[in-house]
């Protein structure tokens, strides 16, 4: 199975199934072998039954999206229907509905139906790895079942609170996961807004709209509005067509899920009947893919919303809401307009205020792109430079999957400069995607010819767009709003560069802003370090971007002693096959007292520095 992230593959055990490791609690860990075997058989049968749509069928019923083509996943995201690919409350509700119908056909009492359906749902949720939304939905169903068996009514708010507390007790770390936050925010939106919104829709239509239509639209609006700030914050993208498209596609999914389950069960006893049923279900799956693919390709399908906009809009909404609760100075009929005006004011004036406050601050962002390199520099006046573009493989493009979303979340409109330190795949892989989808003014590289596909793609993209592509070498320098950038390498005599490949020609960059100094060492090997050390201008460096991901070929004792960094940043993939960063390099850094920050352990790393040399380092998993 192809990896979903470039640079590493993790294998916990060998058996019938070698799928991704699930991360949900001790229960799944204890039963991992059994569940892996079941999962392997399920996926094998699905591939046999659905030769054209097995990846989509697997995503819909077994919580595995790895087989989906990247363009399909992107289309679902753009169309606002990505939740249909996750095992959410919607899926659990469909499973529960099918089980309830089956229990009813057996003539079981009403309470017993809910009890057995709840047990069946829990077996399913555990088998697929206990996703956040599925746990919440299963807990709600269990609460409802208990109420039915004891002849007590269950308030929706109480059931949701019970599910929330149960999940936090089960896994406190879930509070920080986007899936958990979105699941409960959506459920809370349904509980609070479903009734009022459906009533409002019925009222404005004069009763002409069917009741089921009003309820369906009300559910979509309530859940979407409640999750909108979280979706914008975590993913930077908000779909403009998600509600109507979900209303169109959800019935198809409601047919496909029980159809896939039925074909799986029948394949154990009546393979011919199962294949006949699967051929019909595959038509539905193909229709889902076609509709979502078409909708996701529309130019207005989704918009990017920067994180500062989300922060200020949410803050304005909260503050204005609190103001409305402490007085009656705004008439009831004008409250909606007041809240809307506050949000608009927050969106218009909040982000410029943040940019003003950040004037005079230099920022370095080392993005977590796996086993590769991608770093962003922001000048004191807010201009941006990208140094390297991360790796690209068949299933992962750091430019499209990591760098572009980050730039859009930050509200960056253009890159003044893209610097490609050398043409290795793990440094230029994402360049083509960025050049094709983002405004870049100039590209710099060391001028080393390379015939690799990723490098040629970047060259072609720049040529098609007419972008200037220039060669940088040792001694070149430029100034961005008081942030001085100076190239220290390469100067590569042929005999010294032998055996080092493109690394020997890697660009090395010294960045100075007043008393603050930063060294970006690229993948420069020891011989290159020896040549550029005498050219360093700063007496010491607060921050060192460690060379070659912490390999022993770089970051010599002489470099560490000369730069004497206070903080060392290492861009490296989790459990990479190269053993980066090497213990010897880590030991050298720690001997000088440097604090070591790694993308594999800490996620994306951000340094903010002022002219007087003071700085801070923070980290965040994206």
């Amino acid at each position: 199975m192809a990896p979903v992230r470039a640079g590493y593959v993790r294998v916990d055990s060998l058996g019938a199934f070698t799928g991704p490791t699930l991360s949900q609690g001790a229960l799944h860990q204890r039963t991992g072998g059994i569940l892996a075997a079941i999962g392997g058989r399920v996926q094998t049968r699905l591939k046999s039954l659905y030769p054209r749509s097995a990846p989509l069928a697997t995503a819909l019923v077994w919580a595995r999206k790895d087989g989906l083509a990247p363009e399909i996943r992107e289309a679902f995201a753009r169309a606002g229907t990505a939740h249909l690919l996750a095992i959410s409350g919607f899926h659990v509700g469909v499973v529960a509905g099918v089980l309830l119908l089956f229990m009813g056909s057996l003539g079981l009492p009403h309470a017993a139906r809910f009890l057995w359906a709840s047990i069946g749902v829990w077996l399913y949720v555990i088998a697929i790895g206990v996703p956040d939304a599925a746990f919440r939905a299963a807990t709600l169903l269990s609460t409802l079942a208990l109420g039915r068996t004891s002849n007590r009514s269950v308030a929706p708010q109480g059931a949701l609170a019970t599910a929330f507390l149960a999940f936090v007790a089960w896994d406190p770390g879930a509070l920080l996961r986007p899936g958990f936050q979105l699941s409960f925010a959506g459920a809370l939106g349904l509980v609070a807004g479903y009734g009022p919104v459906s009533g409002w829709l019925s009222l404005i239509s004069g009763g002409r709209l069917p009741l089921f239509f009003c309820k369906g639209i009300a559910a979509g609006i309530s859940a979407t509005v409640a999750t909108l700030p979280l979706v914008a914050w975590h993913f930077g993208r908000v779909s403009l067509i998600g509600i109507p498209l979900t209303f169109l596609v959800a019935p198809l999914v409601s047919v496909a899920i029980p159809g896939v389950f039925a074909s799986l069960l029948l394949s154990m006893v009546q393979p011919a009947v199962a294949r006949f049923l699967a051929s019909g279900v595959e038509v539905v799956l193909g229709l889902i893919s076609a509709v979502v693919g078409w909708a996701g390709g529309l130019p207005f399908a989704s918009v990017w919303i920067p994180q500062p906009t989300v922060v200020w809009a949410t803050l304005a909404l909260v503050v204005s809401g609190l103001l409305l609760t402490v007085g009656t100075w705004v008439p009831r009929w004008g409250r909606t307009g007041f809240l809307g005006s506050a949000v608009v004011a927050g969106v218009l004036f909040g982000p410029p205020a943040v940019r003003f406050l950040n004037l005079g601050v230099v920022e370095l962002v080392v993005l977590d792109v796996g086993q590769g390199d991608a770093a962003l520099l922001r000048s004191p006046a807010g201009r941006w430079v990208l140094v390297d573009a991360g790796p690209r493989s068949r299933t992962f493009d750091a430019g499209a999957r990591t760098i572009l979303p980050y730039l859009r979340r930050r509200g960056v409109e253009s890159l003044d400069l893209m610097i490609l330190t050398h043409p290795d795949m793990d440094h230029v892989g994402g360049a083509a995607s960025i050049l094709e989808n983002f405004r870049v003014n100039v590209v710099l590289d060391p001028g080393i010819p390379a015939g690799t596909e990723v490098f040629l793609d970047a060259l072609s993209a720049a040529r098609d767009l007419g972008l200037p592509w220039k060669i940088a070498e040792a001694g070149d320098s430029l100034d961005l709003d008081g942030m001085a950038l100076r190239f220290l390498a390469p100067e590569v005599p042929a005999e010294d560069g032998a055996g080092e490949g493109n690394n020997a020609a890697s660009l090395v960059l010294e960045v100075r802003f007043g008393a603050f100094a930063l060294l970006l060492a690229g993948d420069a090997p020891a011989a290159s370090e020896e040549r550029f050390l005498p050219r360093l201008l700063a007496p010491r460096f607060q921050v060192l971007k460690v060379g070659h991901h912490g390999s022993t070929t770089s970051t010599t004792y002489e470099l560490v002693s000369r730069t004497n960094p206070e903080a060392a940043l290492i861009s490296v993939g989790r459990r990479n096959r190269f053993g980066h960063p090497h213990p010897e390099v880590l030991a050298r850094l720690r001997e000088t007292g440097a604090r070591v920050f790694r993308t594999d352990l800490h996620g994306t790393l951000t340094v903010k520095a002022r002219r007087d040399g003071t700085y801070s380092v923070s980290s965040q998993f994206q």
Side-chain angles (χ1 to χ4, degrees):
M1 184 177 63
V4 296
R5 197 67 183 268
Y8 61 88
V9 175
R10 174 176 176 175
V11 179
D12 288 323
S13 62
L14 296 177
F17 174 59
T18 55
T21 300
L22 300 175
S23 58
Q24 282 294 150
L27 177 61
H28 178 71
Q29 294 175 8
R30 289 195 296 267
T31 59
I34 298 174
L35 299 182
I38 295 173
R41 292 192 181 99
V42 167
Q43 294 191 67
T44 299
R45 287 181 183 268
L46 287 174
K47 288 179 181 178
S48 175
L49 291 168
Y50 300 94
R52 296 186 300 274
S53 306
L56 181 56
T58 305
L60 288 176
V61 302
W62 210 253
R64 305 290 188 274
K65 298 189 288 290
D66 305 329
L68 282 172
E71 58 270 19
I72 296 297
R73 299 176 69 170
E74 176 67 12
F76 271 87
R78 284 180 52 83
T81 53
H83 60 284
L84 296 177
L85 294 178
I87 303 298
S88 63
F90 172 78
H91 298 71
V92 173
V94 172
V95 172
V98 171
L99 290 174
L100 286 170
L101 288 174
F102 176 71
M103 300 300 171
S105 68
L106 297 178
L108 293 178
H110 199 65
R113 296 179 200 176
F114 275 89
L115 180 61
W116 285 107
S118 178
I119 293 173
V121 163
W122 272 112
L123 291 174
Y124 170 62
V125 169
I126 292 171
I128 62 174
V130 198
D132 293 348
F135 183 101
R136 184 258 306 162
T139 305
L140 287 173
L141 182 63
S142 298
T143 305
L144 180 61
L146 288 173
R148 293 282 185 176
T149 55
S150 60
N151 293 318
R152 294 175 180 271
S153 61
V154 178
Q157 298 89 338
L160 184 61
T162 299
F164 179 85
L165 294 174
F167 208 137
V168 172
W170 166 274
D171 183 7
L175 287 168
L176 302 178
R177 289 202 298 268
F180 176 87
Q181 297 169 12
L182 290 168
S183 173
F184 279 91
L188 184 61
L190 284 171
V191 170
Y194 172 74
V197 174
S198 60
W200 175 74
L201 288 173
S202 179
L203 179 64
I204 63 172
S205 68
R208 289 186 294 271
L209 289 177
L211 184 60
F212 77 91
F213 184 85
C214 292
K215 289 183 176 181
I217 294 295
I221 292 174
S222 302
T224 299
V225 170
T227 57
L228 184 63
L230 291 170
V231 170
W233 174 260
H234 288 297
F235 306 108
R237 174 186 287 176
V238 172
S239 174
L240 301 180
I241 60 175
I243 293 176
L245 190 63
T246 297
F247 192 68
L248 177 64
V249 175
L252 297 175
V253 176
S254 300
V255 172
I257 291 174
V260 173
F261 276 123
S263 65
L264 277 172
L265 294 174
L266 283 171
S267 67
M268 302 177 190
V269 292
Q270 291 289 341
V273 177
R275 285 192 293 271
F276 176 76
L277 176 61
S279 64
V281 176
E282 194 154 41
V283 173
V284 179
L285 294 173
L287 185 58
I288 293 171
S289 296
V291 171
V292 172
W294 169 79
L298 296 174
F300 55 83
S302 63
V303 295
W304 289 93
I305 299 182
Q307 282 184 334
T309 300
V310 179
V311 172
W312 283 95
T314 304
L315 182 62
L317 183 62
V318 171
V319 172
S320 58
L322 291 175
L323 289 175
L324 290 179
T325 62
V326 298
T328 58
W329 48 280
V330 177
R332 184 175 296 275
W333 56 265
R335 293 190 175 190
T336 301
F338 177 76
L339 292 173
S341 300
V343 170
V344 171
V347 169
L348 292 178
F349 301 112
V354 172
R355 287 194 289 270
F356 177 79
L357 293 174
N358 280 330
L359 291 177
V361 176
V362 163
E363 187 173 350
L364 168 71
V365 181
V366 180
L367 293 166
D368 179 12
V369 292
Q371 185 65 16
D373 254 312
L376 286 160
L377 282 167
R378 189 183 64 82
S379 78
R383 294 197 282 175
W384 289 83
V385 176
L386 175 65
V387 183
D388 287 327
R392 190 181 84 186
S393 68
R394 187 177 65 84
T395 57
F396 178 72
D397 183 330
R401 293 275 294 276
T402 303
I403 301 171
L404 283 173
Y406 182 87
L407 290 170
R408 286 162 174 159
R409 285 198 302 269
R410 290 291 303 268
V412 180
E413 297 178 355
S414 66
L415 291 170
D416 274 59
L417 188 63
M418 176 190 285
I419 300 172
L420 302 175
T421 59
H422 60 296
D424 281 356
M425 183 278 295
D426 58 330
H427 291 252
V428 303
S433 295
I434 296 167
L435 292 171
E436 292 166 356
N437 296 283
F438 205 76
R439 185 155 62 91
V440 179
N441 294 337
V442 181
V443 181
L444 292 181
D445 84 330
I448 304 300
T452 60
E453 179 183 359
V454 291
F455 186 68
L456 293 176
D457 286 347
L459 282 174
S460 298
R463 179 200 61 203
D464 294 343
L465 294 167
L467 296 179
W469 189 301
K470 301 180 180 180
I471 296 174
E473 57 186 15
D476 290 345
S477 62
L478 63 145
D479 183 280
L480 284 178
D481 313 315
M483 179 179 71
L485 284 72
R486 182 165 170 265
F487 293 97
L488 305 175
E491 280 187 4
V492 191
E495 64 275 12
D496 290 342
E500 294 291 347
N502 294 325
N503 293 341
S506 177
L507 291 171
V508 176
L509 192 61
E510 180 181 16
V511 181
R512 289 179 291 116
F513 178 56
F516 175 78
L518 159 70
L519 182 66
L520 300 169
D523 275 4
S528 181
E529 291 180 359
E530 183 179 355
R531 285 190 294 272
F532 73 67
L533 279 178
R535 303 192 191 102
L536 294 175
L537 295 179
R540 67 166 302 182
F541 289 76
Q542 284 88 346
V543 178
L544 168 66
K545 169 70 170 50
V546 174
H548 201 184
H549 323 290
S551 167
T552 53
T553 61
S554 305
T555 320
T556 59
Y557 177 79
E558 289 74 18
L559 174 72
V560 175
S561 299
R562 169 62 182 84
T563 57
N564 192 22
E566 297 175 10
L569 314 182
I570 306 177
S571 181
V572 62
R574 297 167 184 80
R575 298 173 292 277
N576 63 86
R577 63 187 178 91
F578 307 102
H580 297 160
H582 197 278
E584 289 182 14
V585 174
L586 295 175
R588 288 176 203 151
L589 293 168
R590 287 170 179 145
E591 283 177 10
T592 66
R595 295 178 297 157
V596 177
F597 299 90
R598 300 163 44 172
T599 58
D600 61 333
L601 300 181
H602 306 108
T604 292
L605 308 172
T606 302
V607 179
K608 292 186 177 181
R610 296 190 177 276
R611 188 178 292 275
D612 61 3
T614 59
Y615 69 98
S616 63
V617 182
S618 61
S619 62
Q620 179 184 8
F621 283 100
Q622 300 295 325

